[in-house]
Amino acid sequence: MPSFSGTQLTCLRGDRLVFSHLSFSLDSGEALILTGRNGSGKTSLLRLMAGLARPWQGDLRFNGQAIAEDMELHRQRLRYVGHAEAIKPVLTASENLAVWAHLADAGRSDAGRLGAVDPAARAHAALDWFGIGHLADVPCQVLSAGQRRRVGLARLLVTPAPLWLLDEPTTALDRTAVGLLNQVIADHRARGGLVVLSTHADWPIPNGIALSLDDFAGLGPIVVDGDDDEAGANDAPGEVGTDHDGAGGAPPQAQARVDPEHRP
Amino acid sequence: MIAFLRLVRRDLRLAFRQGSDATTALVFFVLTVVIFPFGVGPEPNILARIAPGILWVAALLAALLSLDRLFQADQDDGSLDQLALSGPPLEIVVLAKAAAHWLMSGLPLIVAAPVLAVLLQMRDGFDTLLLSLLAGTPLLSLIGTIGAALTLGARRGGVLISLLILPLYIPVLIFGAGAIDVALAGLSPRPHLLFLAGMLAAALPLAPVAAAAALRQALE
């Protein structure tokens, strides 16, 4: 039974503390719902979980084993759906999915078993599931934002993996598609899979564990001359909240609002 | 190995679907070389003397032309994240990118080069020209991946990549053009060609490692 946990995670972007002392634990079939204002580090946390970035402090464990020990294994057991759908406009929807399916198969030791079903057929089945089977052979440049999103989400079904990391998956989706996504997530959890997702929308996930990143907010740049920012950065999360209202004053709060998703 | 071939196939398919990308390097190479006689004058002796240099400089600039999009396009639409998370290690991804880049920008040049050499009044040394390009152009693609990975996400990456990569291209240029010069002078170009081959043998494992390390930094 898979389990996924993180302890005392601290995320640093440039010289800015995004969040600190964040811990979570997920067991088989559970879903973690990340909320928080813009720039609170939802995407950063998901990228840490995917192994795309490394935490400044703390560690992430899957089944008790640190993910940094065997990144190749960790990559095989996760599916990440980010803000960008990783769709090439000149390829058709099924070609886009087949590329990722082929690559995932090539990296697996049990490729023979999965390869029994042709990746192209699997791609068609996944697109059918999300209600866009009729668009499978249309170049993606003519698809709408919502349809592209569905293609991106169909990647979850093409090659199974126990851990799903979804970054605001409902963006651009209509009501029907959100219903389908709910169903997919429920099925995945019923099979014992793990889901971590971030959302702004008021989106009910049954028995989801809520985690608000605002509770772990850092206080802007930690290296600032003659300020009490550094003290705030090293504080326990519970105290950070009071710090906001108390000694910190306006400047550190304003700095903490800088968007961490911004990349140069 | 399967993943490597899949990645090369993906890149080639993308290039051919996009149409213009696939022929840009070749068109640039031909146009640059063809323009030279107009500037230097049609004097056969002068053209024959500078032909190796012209061909090699043009090949080098043609390789540079499409480098800044090598990883940037994948970075922009999120594909690079998925490539980093897909089965094969990033080094293999980089190697596949370099191979696809060479197939689109290196191989066509090798085919076109002898024809252009005739145009530049070169009478001899065609085998050396082909061999030097055959060893040299993969080297240009491989070294280019390092620059492309390092400048990923940088504004005006195209200028930056030229500044970073051109110094590394100079040894390739010296030994590539030098091999043909030596052959035209009636000496053996073997040492030059072996040196190029040696550099290729070193870049083949080292460039993907360096570029993959740079990519990991860019992804964080």
Side-chain angles (χ1 to χ4, degrees):
Chain A
M1 278 297 170
S3 68
F4 188 44
S5 67
T7 44
Q8 297 290 313
L9 292 168
T10 298
C11 173
L12 204 60
R13 292 201 65 86
D15 62 349
R16 213 185 68 82
L17 194 70
V18 183
F19 54 76
S20 61
H21 302 281
L22 185 150
S23 299
F24 69 91
S25 167
L26 266 186
D27 272 327
S28 173
E30 290 186 326
L32 186 67
I33 321 292
L34 308 178
T35 56
R37 59 185 161 68
N38 289 342
S40 57
K42 299 186 290 294
T43 298
S44 296
L45 179 57
L46 283 165
R47 290 178 76 84
L48 290 187
M49 289 175 173
L52 284 168
R54 255 167 254 235
W56 191 53
Q57 277 172 351
D59 64 345
L60 289 153
R61 290 178 176 276
F62 197 92
N63 292 340
Q65 185 203 22
I67 64 165
E69 269 176 39
D70 192 347
M71 283 308 302
E72 203 158 328
L73 181 65
H74 189 61
R75 285 203 294 265
Q76 285 171 22
R77 62 195 171 204
L78 73 88
R79 292 286 162 267
Y80 173 77
V81 178
H83 281 290
E85 280 93 359
I87 290 171
K88 291 292 177 192
V90 289
L91 299 184
T92 68
S94 62
E95 282 172 339
N96 265 302
L97 291 180
V99 166
W100 302 118
H102 276 300
L103 285 180
D105 282 1
R108 291 169 84 107
S109 46
D110 55 352
R113 188 162 55 83
L114 271 168
V117 184
D118 177 45
R122 270 151 53 202
H124 273 102
L127 289 169
D128 272 337
W129 217 103
F130 273 99
I132 43 172
H134 58 292
L135 298 173
D137 298 319
V138 173
C140 282
Q141 56 203 0
V142 303
L143 298 186
S144 74
Q147 287 167 336
R148 289 165 64 99
R149 195 78 200 163
R150 290 191 195 204
V151 176
L153 288 166
R155 202 153 34 78
L156 293 169
L157 300 178
V158 174
T159 313
L163 175 61
W164 288 3
L165 305 172
L166 315 177
D167 199 353
E168 297 189 18
T170 52
T171 311
L173 287 185
D174 60 17
R175 200 172 294 227
T176 325
V178 173
L180 289 170
L181 180 59
N182 271 330
Q183 187 59 45
V184 169
I185 290 175
D187 289 349
H188 179 62
R189 291 172 66 188
R191 285 192 302 267
L194 310 172
V195 182
V196 181
L197 56 90
S198 71
T199 179
H200 276 301
D202 197 12
W203 181 30
I205 298 283
N207 303 319
I209 305 167
L211 180 72
S212 172
L213 280 253
D214 291 340
D215 299 342
F216 303 93
L219 285 173
I222 56 163
V223 195
V224 175
D225 295 333
D227 216 322
D228 55 358
D229 284 3
E230 205 160 347
N234 296 325
D235 272 348
E239 290 156 26
V240 173
T242 56
D243 228 307
H244 272 292
D245 313 316
Q253 256 201 327
Q255 278 158 334
R257 281 204 190 102
V258 178
D259 183 14
E261 265 98 355
H262 168 79
R263 276 181 212 100
Chain B
M1 192 62 201
I2 305 168
F4 173 80
L5 292 176
R6 285 280 166 202
L7 283 166
V8 174
R9 228 172 83 172
R10 163 184 182 268
D11 272 20
L12 289 181
R13 183 187 273 175
L14 281 173
F16 282 116
R17 290 276 173 89
Q18 269 146 7
S20 59
D21 281 16
T23 49
T24 312
L26 181 63
V27 171
F28 178 86
F29 180 64
V30 172
L31 287 181
T32 313
V33 173
V34 165
I35 272 178
F36 262 91
F38 293 102
V40 184
E43 182 65 45
N45 290 333
I46 296 177
L47 280 179
R49 170 68 194 81
I50 60 175
I54 292 173
L55 288 170
W56 257 98
V57 169
L60 194 146
L61 293 176
L64 205 60
L65 199 62
S66 51
L67 270 182
D68 61 327
R69 296 299 296 164
L70 195 59
F71 296 114
Q72 192 64 51
D74 282 335
Q75 164 90 329
D76 290 345
D77 63 12
S79 297
L80 196 62
D81 285 344
Q82 297 300 334
L83 284 173
L85 292 172
S86 66
L90 264 181
E91 285 80 5
I92 297 292
V93 175
V94 171
L95 202 58
K97 286 262 172 204
H101 181 260
W102 179 74
L103 286 172
M104 281 176 307
S105 72
L107 200 57
L109 304 199
I110 297 177
V111 177
V115 183
L116 292 170
V118 173
L119 198 81
L120 293 174
Q121 309 290 338
M122 224 170 95
R123 298 267 173 260
D124 206 1
F126 291 103
D127 49 347
T128 313
L129 171 68
L130 285 179
L131 282 175
S132 71
L133 283 174
L134 207 56
T137 46
L139 203 47
L140 298 180
S141 294
L142 281 166
I143 296 173
T145 59
I146 305 176
L150 280 173
T151 55
L152 191 57
R155 269 163 296 170
R156 306 179 59 78
V159 181
L160 204 55
I161 206 170
S162 313
L163 284 172
L164 274 172
I165 287 304
L166 277 177
L168 296 173
Y169 275 180
I170 284 174
V172 187
L173 178 63
I174 290 174
F175 284 95
I180 308 167
D181 272 338
V182 166
L184 289 177
L187 300 170
S188 165
R190 197 176 143 81
H192 289 77
L193 294 175
L194 284 181
F195 197 87
L196 274 180
M199 286 199 286
L200 178 60
L204 212 49
L206 293 181
V209 171
L215 284 181
R216 286 198 186 94
Q217 284 300 312
L219 284 171
E220 275 209 14

